[in-house]
Amino acid sequence: EFRRVLFRSGAHVLDRAVLGSIEFAVTQLAVPLVMVLGHERCGAVAATVAALRSGPRPGGALAYLVEQISAAVTDVGLDHPDVHARAVRRHITRTVAALRVEPILAPRIAAGTLDVVGAVYDLDTGTVDLLDGPAGLGGPADVDEPVG
């Protein structure tokens, strides 16, 4: 039986509500796959790059998103010519890695009843490129290499 549950958040930032929803889907609905799906030209990533370059941070709830995405931008290098696209991918792999060590999810991943994967949605073509970690088991993906 196929089960699909969709949760959306700004730039797939994990907070308690999103994590609780994922845990519910996995534990109560037996969802076997969690996909962290980012997309090209993500506005939250663009806001983070702009904030890190200019200095002033946005206020309100956007400040929280920028704070959560900043590490991905820093990882790929603020001055990299393709910082936006690489930061989108890096943020996806960081989110996947965080989910894979969550106490409710990790034992199910180890038992083979759950997988957590990352992917990027191409807004122009509608295609989804899976991002791969070592052996598909949770290592950070090379942010340049889509799979399949």
Side-chain angles (χ1 to χ4, degrees), residues 121-139:
Y121 176 69
D122 185 312
L123 296 169
D124 297 321
T125 66
T127 60
V128 174
D129 289 322
L130 291 176
L131 302 178
D132 189 32
L137 297 175

Side-chain angles (χ1 to χ4, degrees), residues 41-58 62 65-88 91:
R41 301 187 303 271
C42 175
V45 171
T48 302
V49 170
L52 292 176
R53 284 185 174 157
S54 69
R57 303 290 171 103
L62 182 55
L65 293 179
V66 167
E67 176 185 313
Q68 296 300 306
I69 299 165
S70 291
V73 174
T74 303
D75 284 354
V76 300
L78 191 56
D79 295 324
H80 192 284
D82 200 18
V83 63
H84 186 271
R86 291 176 59 91
V88 165
H91 185 55

Side-chain angles (χ1 to χ4, degrees), residues 28-56:
Q28 303 302 308
L29 303 177
V31 170
L33 177 67
V34 173
M35 177 182 284
V36 177
L37 182 62
H39 64 87
E40 295 181 328
R41 301 187 303 271
C42 175
V45 171
T48 302
V49 170
L52 292 176
R53 284 185 174 157
S54 69

